[in-house]
Amino acid sequence: QVQLVESGGTLVQPGGSLRLACAASGFNLNNYAVAWFRQAPGKGREGVACIGRHAMTGTADTDSVRGGFTVSRDNTRDKVWLQMNTLKDEDTAVYYCARARAVYGCRADEESYDVWGQGTQVTVSA
């Protein structure tokens, strides 16, 4: 069964760090670009970061996370990681990972992704 499963979400204090994992089953994650999205309460889903096919590190999508978030790949465990540092209250959201459609690279639109995880909740609060 082809699926993605996120893990690592929890409650963290402002200024803290957290690492989320995206694990794949049913396919080789290294052959696909993988993006992280998030959806805050009452807001639409936005792209956070993305890593290209066969790449070991990726890029952050927006100024709000650039410099604080990094995405990387662990091929031995078929996972993609999202390292989040210096977290702020506004980073509170459900975080999703998604697999890009075959041969696609990183793209901003959600329609370019065909497999999504169920999401993991990150809450930043004192």
Side-chain angles (χ1 to χ4, degrees):
Q1 182 181 4
V2 171
Q3 65 177 356
L4 293 172
V5 178
E6 304 93 340
S7 62
T10 189
L11 172 65
V12 61
Q13 292 188 342
S17 297
L18 203 59
R19 188 172 74 162
L20 304 183
C22 174
S25 61
F27 67 99
N28 186 343
L29 196 58
N30 188 42
N31 293 333
Y32 296 85
V34 177
W36 285 93
F37 290 81
R38 68 183 180 185
Q39 187 165 21
K43 295 186 178 180
R45 196 151 52 183
E46 66 169 347
V48 173
C50 189
I51 185 166
R53 297 172 63 204
H54 307 296
M56 297 308 294
T57 59
T59 57
D61 286 352
T62 66
D63 289 339
S64 63
V65 301
R66 197 166 291 135
F69 289 18
T70 56
V71 57
S72 61
R73 190 186 291 277
D74 181 348
N75 288 334
T76 60
R77 286 182 281 182
D78 215 13
K79 288 185 177 179
V80 168
W81 305 99
L82 179 66
Q83 178 68 43
M84 306 185 293
N85 299 324
T86 321
L87 285 162
K88 307 168 192 162
D89 291 353
E90 52 265 39
D91 294 318
T92 294
V94 178
Y95 285 72
Y96 302 88
C97 63
R99 184 187 81 171
R101 297 183 186 278
V103 309
Y104 280 12
C106 290
R107 298 191 177 191
D109 61 295
E110 295 181 27
E111 291 71 29
S112 294
Y113 299 87
D114 61 353
V115 179
W116 291 77
Q118 82 291 347
T120 185
Q121 175 70 48
V122 173
T123 303
V124 184
S125 175

